[in-house]
Amino acid sequence: MKWFACELHTHTLHSDGSQTLGELAAGAANLGFDAIALTDHNTMSGLSGKEEIEQRYGLRIIPGMEWTTFYGHIVTIGLSAFADWRQANRDGIDVGIENVHRLGGIAGLAHPFRIGSPACTGCFWEYEIGNWSAVDYIEVWSGTFPSIQTNNRRAFDLWTHKLNEGYRIAATSGRDWHAQGETDDPISVTYLGIEDNAVAGNGDSTALSLHEETLIQALREGRASVTIGPLLTLTLEAGDALYAIGSTVPTVVERREAAEDPVRANLTLDFSVRTDSGRYRSRSAD
């Protein structure tokens, strides 16, 4: 499996950002990202010219949109068309998520515990979700140096709680990137795992060899690893089977093995990733 470094929450001057798509792509490429999702607030107009910009900077740009409402923000990516966010009310967000799925996209909670109104309208999550199985991911880390922020710890706890309830929900990070600048804060990365047979057969393993749907499917299936340092990957060995991140591991009964048979966890740290971007330190900020 090959892992691609992604930034899944960005903005341009088509909403409240102060950067063009080209400036955003240049900054992302400088930081060693393979792909970004453009998620402007309630619009997809900023994607104009994305194919040319992808080729210029050698990274994939995934179409998306951040639903920005009074009751919460939802980052949607992979949409084939505009999904109308205005119809979602406080207790009917499930219908909105269904519409995103109908258009081929996925939907995740953005910074669900960030301070809300009046400081940031709708930034705090207040929607009543009836079907958590429809939620594709939760942005557990938001902003720069996300690991020390209290609101991110609450988001991580929510994600963990839902996992313990049996829901298959991926975890992501999102810088909520609005402008170019300088920072000494660590920058988080969401790595998406792509099966070897999904990479172009000509030996090209760059992000431009992948269709954007391949990256979206990886997140849909939970093949994601979030870090502010080296790439951390995990596999589990159970009997003769090997399970990677995003896999469903059957119970002992389902595997028809004795209860005392061990399950071995293999953790791998890769310090070689993004070496051209200053060893995980950014010179570009919000």
Side-chain angles (χ1 to χ4, degrees):
M1 186 175 293
K2 181 173 177 58
W3 295 86
F4 290 84
C6 303
E7 169 52 65
L8 300 176
H9 191 163
T10 69
H11 299 280
T12 68
L13 46 75
H14 282 255
S15 59
D16 63 342
S18 60
Q19 57 190 343
T20 65
L21 182 58
E23 290 168 341
L24 171 62
N30 184 57
L31 293 174
F33 285 101
D34 298 301
I36 58 174
L38 178 59
T39 56
D40 274 322
H41 297 283
N42 298 337
T43 182
M44 297 176 70
S45 61
L47 290 163
S48 177
K50 89 174 185 73
E51 291 80 6
E52 178 185 348
I53 294 171
E54 286 177 323
Q55 294 297 324
R56 185 187 310 164
Y57 295 106
L59 82 168
R60 183 62 71 200
I61 300 173
I62 306 170
M65 183 173 67
E66 182 175 5
W67 282 19
T68 308
T69 77
F70 290 111
Y71 305 117
H73 293 189
I74 302 176
V75 172
T76 66
I77 63 175
L79 294 164
S80 61
F82 180 84
D84 194 346
W85 54 273
R86 294 168 297 178
Q87 305 305 315
N89 55 49
R90 191 167 186 169
D91 58 357
I93 194 61
D94 291 8
V95 175
I97 294 175
E98 287 176 8
N99 289 335
V100 171
H101 290 162
R102 181 174 52 83
L103 292 170
I106 57 179
L109 279 60
H111 45 67
F113 294 102
R114 185 181 294 179
I115 188 172
S117 298
C120 180
T121 301
C123 287
F124 187 88
W125 187 264
E126 296 183 64
Y127 280 112
E128 296 292 334
I129 297 178
N131 179 20
W132 276 96
S133 295
V135 176
D136 296 293
Y137 62 95
I138 296 174
E139 191 179 80
V140 298
W141 276 0
S142 177
T144 60
F145 212 156
S147 58
I148 66 171
Q149 298 182 33
T150 302
N151 66 94
N152 287 334
R153 295 175 186 172
R154 294 182 67 188
F156 181 85
D157 289 345
L158 171 64
W159 173 66
T160 303
H161 179 68
K162 291 304 173 183
L163 289 184
N164 290 337
E165 289 182 346
Y167 295 103
R168 284 179 55 86
I169 301 175
T172 68
S173 65
R175 180 174 172 179
D176 207 353
W177 196 357
H178 284 75
Q180 298 296 308
E182 291 190 355
T183 183
D184 288 327
D185 286 351
I187 302 298
S188 62
V189 183
T190 301
Y191 282 95
L192 297 181
I194 306 301
E195 300 288 353
D196 292 334
N197 59 8
V199 178
N202 61 6
D204 183 4
S205 60
T206 66
L208 290 183
S209 68
L210 298 172
H211 191 278
E212 60 197 33
E213 172 58 31
T214 304
L215 292 166
I216 296 165
Q217 185 63 22
L219 182 53
R220 185 183 284 120
E221 295 179 1
R223 286 180 270 132
S225 178
V226 175
T227 179
I228 56 174
L231 168 62
L232 173 66
T233 57
L234 167 70
T235 58
L236 296 179
E237 294 181 50
D240 296 329
L242 184 67
Y243 302 93
I245 292 176
S247 302
T248 299
V249 182
T251 64
V252 170
V253 174
E254 290 173 327
R255 288 188 282 116
R256 301 182 182 281
E257 298 172 10
E260 61 269 15
D261 285 351
V263 175
R264 185 184 303 274
N266 302 305
L267 292 170
T268 302
L269 283 172
D270 184 355
F271 289 89
S272 68
V273 294
R274 301 172 64 240
T275 53
D276 294 336
S277 60
R279 300 291 296 181
Y280 327 119
R281 183 173 292 274
S282 168
R283 303 307 304 173
S284 185
D286 300 284

